[in-house]
Amino acid sequence: MFLSSFEKMVAKRYLMPGKGEGFIFLVAGISLTAVMLGVAALIIVMSVMNGFRAELFDRIVGLNGHAIIQGYDGRLDDWENILKETKATPGVVKASPLIEQPLLGSFNGRVEGLLVRGMDRPNMLELKDKIVAGRIETVMQNENMIVIGSQLAQNLGLQLGQNLTIINPAGRATPFGTVPREISYQVGAIVEIGIFQFDKAFVAMPIADAQTLLLLGDKVGMIEVTSNDPQNINAIMEPLQKKVEGKALIVDWQTLNASLFETLAVERVAMFVVLSIIIIVAVFNILSSLIMLVRAKTRDIAILRTMGASRKSLLRIFMTVGTTVGALGTIAGLILGFIFLIFRQSIVNAIQFITGQNLWDPSIRFLNELPSRTDPVEVIVICSMALLFSFLATLYPAIKAANTDPVQVLRYE
């Protein structure tokens, strides 16, 4: 929408408060603030929701792979051939044997539930960047040494070099019944996965030690698969379905974590709809401020019409005034939203300090810190929506101003 110099001058004059127009300017300021808060809130919430999904995906899927080939009875027979066929499948980047079993752990009279994982050397080395104490190499070079999660170490009071007793209820059968199998392991490293539910139960050991603990012989429990396209994992794993039929079950990451990611998707849509209402309210404020401006400027509009201003000129002037308020609010919202996202964790910590409340309990929210990942497409959609609504709000007042009859207004002047 291109304006002439005359239209720009009038629009600029109407954007600034005139004598006796303080209330109209206040309403316009409230409208701008409301648009700013609406845009900022949408950007912040959508970025945080995207961050949640991305962080959970990276950490959960990064730990469990994109799919698993799991034996029906917890034991995968002929796993070497299945592993070879899996690695040869197009789209599969990595496949490795894995043992995973929930067990119990005991230390100094305290008992905690454990998630024991027997991992091969490459998978063990991937934990290296998550180490907070000790060394992965130490665990791999020595027998009966394990890696544990940081929260588990804290709950049990375990430190490097101390021993954790792992209890396997499915022990050896004796004439007096099944005797649980208890083996003591030395803590060689402590890791922080970043997901509370894992950190409070995670125990990793070389796959040979896990086979001994669980009496698996030379068998494994599953094969972990990583692909080059996690969103298309079903199609990638389809050729393996017939090959492992009757031996194992293929489960992808979407099925394993279906409830969690579906909940996040529903919450994401719900939050977008709810927070969009803030922008709609702001748009109604723009509408009301423009209507009051038109009423206050009725005489000026009539004079402009008698001086030769066209209806199209008046239409453009008032549309520019309203759209400018919306645009300034959108820009301010962008700046506010990005500032909040940059300092998000500091802001959360400051609020926690002031209120004395723990706003970010990782046991409830899975992750240890407030995540964020901004999607440029979503930002463009949010800004476009705010500008579009602001533009639509200007139509009625602008048409009303353009249709002003100067004869009727100036009859008694």
Side-chain angles (χ1 to χ4, degrees), residues 3 12 14 28 38 93 162 167 177 184 239 277 338:
L3 303 178
K12 183 178 179 181
Y14 284 174
V93 187
Q162 293 183 320
I167 305 168
S184 182
I277 295 174
F338 286 125

Side-chain angles (χ1 to χ4, degrees), residues 197-232:
Q197 308 300 333
F198 281 99
D199 283 330
K200 73 174 185 178
F202 185 77
V203 173
M205 62 179 65
I207 198 165
D209 288 347
Q211 287 172 331
T212 301
L213 172 64
L214 297 170
L215 304 174
L216 290 176
D218 61 349
K219 294 182 173 59
V220 300
M222 63 189 74
I223 292 174
E224 181 184 74
V225 182
T226 303
S227 71
N228 57 8
D229 184 7
Q231 302 299 330
N232 198 31

Side-chain angles (χ1 to χ4, degrees), residues 270-283:
M271 292 301 291
F272 184 87
V273 172
V274 170
L275 292 174
S276 296
I277 295 174
I278 298 177
I279 295 180
I280 295 174
V281 170
V283 165

Side-chain angles (χ1 to χ4, degrees), residues 359-375:
L359 302 179
W360 196 259
D361 185 353
S363 64
I364 298 173
R365 293 174 172 83
F366 293 98
L367 303 178
N368 295 331
E369 290 187 353
L370 181 67
S372 170
R373 185 169 295 188
T374 304
D375 184 351

Side-chain angles (χ1 to χ4, degrees), residues 35-295:
V35 172
M36 175 187 72
L37 293 176
V39 170
L42 269 173
I43 290 173
I44 292 168
V45 171
M46 298 308 292
S47 296
V48 169
M49 295 295 289
N50 288 339
F52 256 116
R53 189 184 188 283
E55 286 292 320
L56 285 172
F57 178 83
D58 290 344
R59 297 186 184 187
I60 292 177
V61 175
L63 191 64
N64 294 325
H66 299 153
I68 59 170
I69 304 172
Q70 186 171 17
Y72 285 114
D73 57 353
R75 296 172 183 240
L76 188 60
D77 297 323
D78 194 26
W79 65 270
E80 293 94 343
N81 289 330
I82 295 176
L83 179 64
K84 190 181 298 183
E85 290 178 350
T86 303
K87 288 181 176 179
T89 301
V92 173
V93 187
K94 187 184 75 171
S96 52
L98 180 69
I99 296 172
E100 185 174 276
Q101 184 71 35
L103 298 174
L104 291 175
S106 173
F107 175 74
N108 282 348
R110 297 181 183 178
V111 178
E112 289 281 344
L114 308 178
L115 182 64
V116 177
R117 293 171 67 95
M119 307 168 73
D120 62 2
R121 184 181 179 85
N123 277 351
M124 290 285 286
L125 288 174
E126 287 182 2
L127 296 174
K128 200 170 183 178
D129 60 346
K130 298 179 176 66
I131 291 287
V132 295
R135 295 176 69 247
I136 287 292
E137 291 81 0
T138 304
V139 177
M140 293 189 297
Q141 291 167 4
N142 296 276
E143 292 184 358
N144 286 5
M145 293 195 76
I146 56 173
V147 180
I148 65 171
S150 57
Q151 193 62 43
L152 176 63
Q154 182 178 329
N155 292 346
L156 290 175
L158 267 170
Q159 296 180 358
L160 286 177
Q162 293 183 320
N163 292 332
L164 172 67
T165 300
I166 298 181
I167 305 168
N168 178 13
R172 294 189 179 277
T174 70
F176 303 100
T178 301
V179 177
R181 185 175 177 81
E182 298 184 12
I183 300 179
S184 182
Y185 294 90
Q186 187 179 0
V187 176
I190 298 174
V191 297
E192 185 171 304
I193 305 298
I195 301 176
F196 183 84
Q197 308 300 333
F198 281 99
D199 283 330
K200 73 174 185 178
F202 185 77
V203 173
M205 62 179 65
I207 198 165
D209 288 347
Q211 287 172 331
T212 301
L213 172 64
L214 297 170
L215 304 174
L216 290 176
D218 61 349
K219 294 182 173 59
V220 300
M222 63 189 74
I223 292 174
E224 181 184 74
V225 182
T226 303
S227 71
N228 57 8
D229 184 7
Q231 302 299 330
N232 198 31
I233 187 65
N234 281 330
I236 292 173
M237 299 301 293
E238 189 174 355
L240 284 171
Q241 290 284 357
K242 291 183 178 179
K243 295 179 181 179
V244 301
E245 190 174 354
K247 300 178 184 177
L249 179 68
I250 298 178
V251 185
D252 59 43
W253 67 270
Q254 294 169 325
T255 304
L256 285 170
N257 307 284
S259 59
L260 178 60
F261 286 104
E262 284 177 8
T263 301
L264 284 175
V266 172
E267 287 184 354
R268 189 166 169 270
V269 173
M271 292 301 291
F272 184 87
V273 172
V274 170
L275 292 174
S276 296
I277 295 174
I278 298 177
I279 295 180
I280 295 174
V281 170
V283 165
F284 278 108
N285 283 335
I286 294 175
L287 176 64
S288 61
S289 65
L290 280 178
I291 290 174
M292 287 189 290
L293 182 63
V294 171
R295 292 293 298 272

Side-chain angles (χ1 to χ4, degrees), residues 31-43 279 282-283 286 322-338 378-391:
S31 304
L32 189 150
T33 304
V35 172
M36 175 187 72
L37 293 176
V39 170
L42 269 173
I43 290 173
I279 295 180
V283 165
I286 294 175
T323 304
T324 300
V325 173
L328 291 175
T330 301
I331 294 170
L334 270 173
I335 296 171
L336 178 63
F338 286 125
E378 285 185 350
V379 172
I380 292 172
V381 170
I382 291 168
C383 294
S384 300
M385 182 179 69
L387 292 173
L388 176 62
F389 286 169
S390 300
F391 172 76

